[in-house]
Amino acid sequence: MKITILNGSPKGNESITMQYAKFVQKHFPDHEFIYHNISQKIKRIEKNKDIFDKIIADVESSDGVIWSAPVYTLFVPTQYMRFIELIHERDAVKAFKGKYATVITTSIHFYDHTAHRYMNAICDDLGMNYTGYFSAEMNDLLRSSGRNKLLIFSNNFFNSIENRTKPQKRFQPIVKKNFIFKPEKTLKRVDLKGKKVVVVTDNNDQESNTAKMIGKFLDSFTEPVELVNLREINIKGGCLGCLSCGYDNVCVYKDDFTSMYQSKILPADIVIIATELNLRNFSAKLKEFYDRRFFLNHRPEYKDKQYGVMVSGPIDQMPYMDDFFQGVVEWQNTNIVGIVRDESCDQDEINRGIQQLAENCISFSETGYCQPPTFLGVGGKKVFRDDIWGQLRSVCQADYRYYKNNGLFNFPQTKYKNRVFNSTIMLLTKIPGIRKKFYKKLNKVIYQPHKKIAETR
Ligand SMILES: Cc1cc2nc3c(=O)[nH]c(=O)nc-3n(C[C@H](O)[C@H](O)[C@H](O)COP(=O)(O)O)c2cc1C
């Protein structure tokens, strides 16, 4: 069997993810493995059509394709997303049709599920027989249980190809609506009240709904608001994953990204993202913005900011997108003001949504409101806290210092009152009589303090 590996790590052969593919190859010597370092060579793939065509020819002559990539900012790396755009731009979709596909990622399990759903959608759109994913924790290959799981998974993948199984599709083709948004004249403009608002966009079409939504939003205020168009900034490429920034948050790139981020994003009170969804996601250009902010590693630079999104396109047919927009900042103690969409095709509703976004981001910013985080934020925060304290500490030293200085290593072990309470109760409830009484009165014990507050404060 011929298997093509499309490696999504910008580190190419010297990446963790690549070792998973090599390990599979070693244990299945009867199959032929062809490797392409997609993300590492993306600039050459873009410039030189022959290189792109060679990859596509390998896919076309393969029995199976392994999309193998690290999770980068809740999806896959910028460069990999750019390759997916190229497949469509260069009319190479048919090479993928009917091919058996699987996705292998490595990560620290922070929103690996959004990355996998996105890749599932990509495979379905390409007409591939997507057989499922393998989401490895980055160090799983070092554990015998991780290696065993990978081998069983790979064996199942090869069996699917051999037996020509027909997997069910998860995503139906996108249904596009031809709707043109008509911004209404703003009757009541919102006072900025000294708040710094920045709109970040990847928009490159002045006639698009995104451009019109941005125009309407900017027009909602009494004073000018900063607009950052990523297409107009000198950004040389996606994050390389080199982790040089781990010690002191300095990026190896010599372009204008860091200075833009430091001068426009960090000082802002309110950040609004405006984008259009195509090919199951926003553009690789906007992904570059999210990936390149990694020079700050896991520092919550959006802390206490207000965050909003204006999105054009079929977001409801991309169920992972809400998780992305919420998850990308919710772990930082950031208030999500709202996600305005044009999907309803209802002029009034969209106009009102934009006006409300403008009003709410200022009023929430003034009161310092941040809604309590959901599981997306609470869970994400704990993944980072544990990994920065543990396996990432020596690499992400700037994170470690920041988390330590800001009391973010708030493990339950340090809550001594809880520990004493728990130990005492656990000891006492070993006695059947006390146990019976404790569980009988449990609800009262739990809600009583809340009742007291509700009555007295
Ligand atoms: C820019 C960047 C963004 C990342 N984003 C995520 C993420 O959102 N979720 C996650 O679990 N891991 C994330 N990681 C960690 C990588 O997925 C992980 O270290 C992976 O194993 C690296 O694989 P590689 O050596 O093949 O590139 C990120 C790493 C980098 C450099």
Side-chain angles (χ1 to χ4, degrees):
M1 244 186 266
K2 179 174 168 180
I3 306 293
T4 294
I5 316 284
L6 300 174
N7 179 21
S9 174
K11 292 183 270 178
N13 291 339
E14 292 176 5
S15 64
I16 289 177
T17 317
M18 185 62 135
Q19 310 321 309
Y20 284 70
K22 293 277 182 192
F23 178 77
V24 174
Q25 179 182 18
K26 186 163 176 278
H27 287 266
F28 293 91
D30 293 343
H31 303 319
E32 182 193 359
F33 281 66
I34 308 286
Y35 292 90
H36 287 288
N37 283 321
I38 299 295
S39 291
Q40 193 182 45
K41 297 198 173 140
I42 192 65
K43 295 282 176 206
R44 270 178 276 168
I45 295 170
E46 264 188 300
K47 277 192 200 128
N48 188 333
K49 183 87 178 9
D50 291 347
I51 301 179
F52 177 80
D53 288 347
K54 169 80 179 85
I55 299 167
I56 300 304
D58 279 334
V59 167
E60 201 154 23
S61 60
S62 290
D63 300 289
V65 174
I66 301 182
W67 299 87
S68 149
V71 176
Y72 267 22
T73 329
L74 296 70
F75 287 131
V76 291
T78 307
Q79 301 89 332
Y80 215 44
M81 282 176 62
R82 180 66 195 128
F83 178 69
I84 291 165
E85 288 177 349
L86 288 178
I87 294 170
H88 289 267
E89 282 170 22
R90 295 182 179 174
D91 220 4
V93 172
K94 55 186 176 305
F96 292 80
K97 202 167 165 28
K99 299 291 168 199
Y100 280 80
T102 186
V103 177
I104 298 179
T105 63
T106 66
S107 71
I108 59 167
H109 290 316
F110 177 82
Y111 288 82
D112 44 345
H113 70 290
T114 39
H116 282 284
R117 283 183 197 160
Y118 162 64
M119 286 306 299
N120 187 163
I122 291 298
C123 291
D124 284 351
D125 283 354
L126 291 171
M128 304 183 89
N129 285 310
Y130 171 77
T131 60
Y133 65 85
F134 189 84
S135 182
E137 200 280 337
M138 59 188 281
N139 289 322
D140 273 352
L141 200 62
L142 307 180
R143 304 171 184 119
S144 70
S145 65
R147 293 191 292 274
N148 285 340
K149 283 181 192 171
L150 180 61
L151 292 180
I152 296 170
F153 174 84
S154 309
N155 194 38
N156 285 343
F157 176 55
F158 300 135
N159 284 342
S160 298
I161 303 176
E162 215 157 270
N163 301 329
R164 313 302 297 164
T165 52
K166 259 299 176 222
Q168 204 181 3
K169 280 201 186 312
R170 162 74 178 79
F171 292 90
Q172 296 310 310
I174 293 275
V175 180
K176 278 199 173 166
K177 297 174 184 166
N178 288 324
F179 165 74
I180 297 172
F181 172 52
K182 294 193 183 109
E184 273 168 16
K185 209 164 163 271
T186 305
L187 300 174
K188 200 174 128 228
R189 290 209 163 76
V190 181
D191 191 332
L192 279 178
K193 306 231 169 106
K195 298 293 175 189
K196 284 198 182 99
V197 183
V198 59
V199 178
V200 179
T201 187
D202 56 344
N203 180 58
N204 57 0
D205 175 3
Q206 283 318 305
E207 297 305 312
S208 65
N209 282 358
T210 313
K212 290 175 185 158
M213 288 164 97
I214 295 171
K216 167 77 185 155
F217 183 78
L218 299 182
D219 191 43
S220 307
F221 297 98
T222 48
E223 295 141 85
V225 161
E226 181 95 57
L227 175 65
V228 172
N229 191 327
L230 299 166
R231 310 251 174 213
E232 293 163 7
I233 296 170
N234 169 31
I235 307 173
K236 290 213 168 107
C239 175
L240 302 170
C242 65
L243 296 173
S244 301
C245 51
Y247 185 75
D248 53 8
N249 300 129
V250 177
C251 181
V252 289
Y253 270 111
K254 301 276 175 269
D255 60 13
D256 297 339
F257 184 83
T258 306
S259 60
M260 177 279 290
Y261 209 82
Q262 282 166 338
S263 62
K264 305 215 190 285
I265 308 298
L266 296 186
D269 302 295
I270 296 148
V271 179
I272 306 290
I273 304 292
T275 190
E276 180 174 335
L277 302 181
N278 268 310
L279 301 178
R280 301 289 180 175
N281 212 322
F282 42 70
S283 69
K285 195 34 118 183
L286 183 57
K287 185 58 169 38
E288 194 174 54
F289 171 80
Y290 284 115
D291 281 0
R292 286 289 302 277
R293 80 50 65 216
F294 192 75
F295 72 96
L296 293 170
N297 292 194
H298 308 89
R299 177 184 293 215
E301 87 276 18
Y302 274 80
K303 185 176 175 306
D304 302 329
K305 290 191 199 305
Q306 303 292 323
Y307 180 82
V309 179
M310 293 190 292
V311 60
S312 172
I315 188 169
D316 278 355
Q317 295 172 63
M318 305 175 197
Y320 42 82
M321 288 310 300
D322 278 300
D323 273 13
F324 174 86
F325 286 124
Q326 208 172 329
V328 77
V329 291
E330 207 186 74
W331 63 274
Q332 310 196 19
N333 206 29
T334 307
N335 191 42
I336 322 280
V337 186
I339 302 178
V340 179
R341 323 143 187 257
D342 69 354
E343 211 180 9
S344 65
C345 302
D346 179 333
Q347 303 285 5
D348 260 11
E349 191 208 82
I350 304 163
N351 274 294
R352 255 186 292 118
I354 297 173
Q355 177 74 19
Q356 259 162 29
L357 182 69
E359 286 171 11
N360 289 347
C361 63
I362 300 298
S363 67
F364 287 152
S365 184
E366 269 210 297
T367 52
Y369 178 66
C370 179
Q371 60 185 335
T374 65
F375 169 74
L376 302 177
V378 176
K381 215 183 284 190
K382 289 185 180 181
V383 169
F384 285 162
R385 178 196 65 186
D386 289 5
D387 272 10
I388 291 158
W389 189 85
Q391 63 176 353
L392 300 180
R393 191 190 300 195
S394 54
V395 176
C396 299
Q397 294 192 34
D399 277 346
Y400 182 75
R401 290 191 295 272
Y402 183 91
Y403 275 55
K404 195 162 176 245
N405 293 339
N406 288 280
L408 297 181
F409 291 128
N410 54 352
F411 301 102
Q413 290 91 323
T414 55
K415 295 188 175 138
Y416 292 103
K417 216 171 133 189
N418 279 1
R419 285 169 67 179
V420 171
F421 177 81
N422 286 337
S423 312
T424 313
I425 293 293
M426 285 172 83
L427 194 69
L428 290 175
T429 48
K430 283 194 192 305
I431 304 162
I434 297 184
R435 181 162 67 234
K436 206 170 162 197
K437 267 194 196 155
F438 175 75
Y439 281 101
K440 208 170 162 199
K441 287 194 174 166
L442 185 60
N443 194 38
K444 210 170 179 188
V445 173
I446 294 171
Y447 92 88
Q448 205 67 6
H450 298 80
K451 186 169 181 266
K452 203 171 152 198
I453 292 285
E455 286 170 354
T456 57
R457 296 279 172 97

